Amino acid sequence: MESPSYQVSQQQLTIEKLVYGGEGLSRGTEGVVLTPYTLAGETVMADVGAQEKGVLRGQLVRVEAPSADRVAPRCPYFTVCGGCHYQHAAYAAQLDAKRAILEETLLRFAKLTAPGPIDVISAGPWQYRNRVQLHFEDTRMGYRAAGSRRVVGIDHCPISSPKLNESIGKLAAMVKSPRWPRFLRTLELFTNEESVQLNVVETERPVAKRFFEWCADEIRPLVMGPLDYAGFQVSKGSFFQVNRFLIDRLVEEVVGRESGATALDLYAGVGLFTLPLARRFQRVIAVESGSVAVRDLEANAGRIEQTVEAAQSAVDQFLETFAEPCDLVVADPPRAGLGKLAVKRLVALAPRRIVIVACDPATMARDLVPLLGAGYAIERLVVIDLFPHTYHIETVAKLKKI
């Protein structure tokens, strides 16, 4: 059944709050309206039109009564590029909004109230990214436009690190050269601020060796294999945290003073949590499905004296057969969350403590419901703002068996 069509109408809206996704919620003449680039308490004029999933979408025309938290965006591509959502908000207001959205999501999806204040850990909101994906179209290089596959040309990115911006500037010039392979669609850059790893993500046909030699002449020093990042080997295709300012704080929050006999690190990646856990537990089992990441993990574990057991497996498959006692489970799942089967197996394993690192508050709330029903209690909830100026919310939830 097709959704009803709506004729675009310009309406004055009062923004009640920000919601997950980066938009401001208001109530127009025909129902709830979500409008990007607005802030709570503002009065705005917006073109209200298309309906998606029962909600009307607004396009901001002008702000008639701005919030005291509204600031001038630093990036000239903001609202055109789809990468950032909150550059119009003071950073303290962004953090307050993310905390409020997390609280509301937990209440809505899990009927759960946080046991105490939700702490927020943050760092500098600019130049924090150590990794970017750049898209190419004709002689343009940049990011996707909001809600589109169209490439917005850029020559710098204020949320990316200095070394990345240096490389972005080089590539922005290179893409205009006749030497540029027009069939190349997406490149990824990853840096430790000393060297840059360049990976081809999408291309319509193989890229010649001479292209990489050209890149190596322009971007120095360029690494085509694994990159050493703070003692971790990270290869193409291996996940690593993107906020260069908060990696140590994240590890500290997740691992803390935990210790015991056996710990599981689920979705272990290259071993960001595995290695510090190995220093505090007699036995650590790291579960990771990606073969490249497992190779990195094993190489990284070889650099320390403690023994780590690496299991290349999907988490659901591993948990189906694992039934040994364990003191701690650390889980850093993708946006889809742990899921029913993994949660069911964790309930059966009954570890003394569980730490979940979640990048989606709704799926985290869903996963928490059966865990709390099985006798776990939330000991601590923390927002770690790994993605300033975006709507993304990273949460660490620490649970203990009661």
Side-chain angles (χ1 to χ4, degrees):
M1 182 177 179
E2 294 185 359
S3 299
S5 59
Y6 287 84
Q7 187 173 357
V8 174
S9 63
Q10 193 165 107
Q11 299 180 29
Q12 185 182 71
L13 304 170
T14 299
I15 307 301
E16 298 178 12
K17 59 185 177 181
L18 294 181
V19 297
Y20 189 71
E23 297 155 314
L25 182 147
S26 61
R27 300 180 193 279
T29 57
E30 297 181 27
V32 171
V33 182
L34 297 181
T35 308
Y37 314 121
T38 59
L39 295 174
E42 291 187 328
T43 301
V44 304
M45 291 299 294
D47 288 332
V48 179
Q51 185 183 46
E52 297 177 18
K53 299 180 180 179
V55 176
L56 293 166
R57 299 286 170 174
Q59 294 295 321
L60 182 64
V61 175
R62 64 180 177 274
V63 179
E64 298 198 325
S67 164
D69 293 322
R70 180 171 283 274
V71 298
R74 183 178 295 190
C75 179
Y77 313 112
F78 181 62
T79 73
V80 182
C81 158
C84 289
H85 315 96
Y86 288 154
Q87 282 197 29
H88 61 297
Y91 189 48
Q94 295 181 36
L95 299 177
D96 288 342
K98 290 184 179 185
R99 182 194 285 113
I101 290 168
L102 176 60
E103 291 173 339
E104 181 176 337
T105 302
L106 290 173
L107 188 62
R108 179 182 175 188
F109 289 93
K111 304 294 188 291
L112 172 66
T113 302
I118 298 176
D119 291 333
V120 176
I121 296 173
S122 62
W126 303 103
Q127 296 189 323
Y128 65 86
R129 290 193 67 96
N130 59 29
R131 187 190 299 265
V132 293
Q133 284 196 358
L134 299 168
H135 305 285
F136 301 89
E137 187 176 283
D138 299 323
T139 58
R140 293 194 307 279
M141 177 213 71
Y143 300 136
R144 301 288 189 198
S148 168
R149 290 190 60 81
R150 181 174 60 85
V151 174
V152 176
I154 68 166
D155 60 17
H156 72 289
C157 174
I159 65 172
S160 295
S161 77
K163 191 66 176 178
L164 285 181
N165 270 295
E166 179 185 305
S167 303
I168 288 169
K170 295 284 189 180
L171 289 169
M174 291 168 66
V175 75
K176 294 176 171 56
S177 168
R179 298 170 63 188
W180 187 267
R182 299 298 163 199
F183 52 83
L184 180 59
R185 292 290 168 255
T186 305
L187 287 177
E188 180 183 74
L189 301 177
F190 178 49
T191 185
N192 57 9
E193 287 306 289
E194 295 176 358
S195 302
V196 177
Q197 182 188 79
L198 182 146
N199 300 311
V200 174
V201 177
E202 182 182 354
T203 182
E204 293 174 358
R205 60 179 187 265
V207 180
K209 181 180 178 181
R210 61 180 177 272
F211 171 76
F212 299 104
E213 293 171 344
W214 181 29
C215 289
D217 287 340
E218 298 290 336
I219 301 171
R220 300 183 179 181
L222 190 68
V223 175
M224 298 310 302
L227 182 75
D228 187 286
Y229 196 107
F232 290 90
Q233 173 180 301
V234 184
S235 299
K236 174 186 177 181
S238 291
F239 172 78
F240 199 78
Q241 294 292 344
V242 75
N243 189 315
R244 65 194 184 103
F245 299 139
L246 286 174
I247 292 171
D248 291 343
R249 296 283 301 280
L250 175 62
V251 171
E252 179 184 343
E253 184 62 39
V254 170
V255 177
R257 298 181 180 178
E258 303 285 359
S259 62
T262 302
L264 295 182
D265 184 10
L266 307 180
Y267 312 93
V270 302
L272 182 64
F273 304 131
T274 306
L275 271 59
L277 286 171
R279 298 184 180 99
R280 306 187 63 88
F281 284 79
Q282 297 172 29
R283 182 189 184 200
V284 174
I285 304 171
V287 183
E288 168 60 44
S289 62
S291 59
V292 175
V294 169
R295 287 197 296 271
D296 285 342
L297 191 156
E298 291 173 337
N300 294 328
R303 300 181 181 187
I304 63 174
E305 296 180 359
Q306 291 83 359
T307 300
V308 169
E309 299 174 35
Q312 184 180 340
S313 171
V315 166
D316 285 355
Q317 182 180 354
F318 175 84
L319 290 176
E320 278 189 47
T321 57
F322 184 82
E324 302 173 37
C326 60
D327 299 299
L328 172 70
V329 173
V330 172
D332 185 7
R335 197 167 305 281
L338 287 166
K340 291 182 179 179
L341 180 57
V343 170
K344 181 179 178 180
R345 290 302 302 149
L346 288 179
V347 168
L349 278 177
R352 182 168 51 88
R353 301 174 70 81
I354 299 173
V355 180
I356 300 174
V357 184
C359 56
D360 186 304
T363 57
M364 182 188 72
R366 179 205 65 199
D367 292 338
L368 285 175
V369 171
L371 290 170
L372 299 179
Y376 284 92
I378 296 176
E379 188 176 49
R380 179 170 164 80
L381 278 174
V382 183
V383 171
I384 299 187
D385 193 33
L386 298 182
F387 306 98
H389 305 297
T390 80
Y391 68 79
H392 300 293
I393 301 175
E394 194 87 2
T395 309
V396 176
K398 293 191 169 185
L399 284 69
K400 64 178 180 180
K401 190 76 172 173
I402 55 176

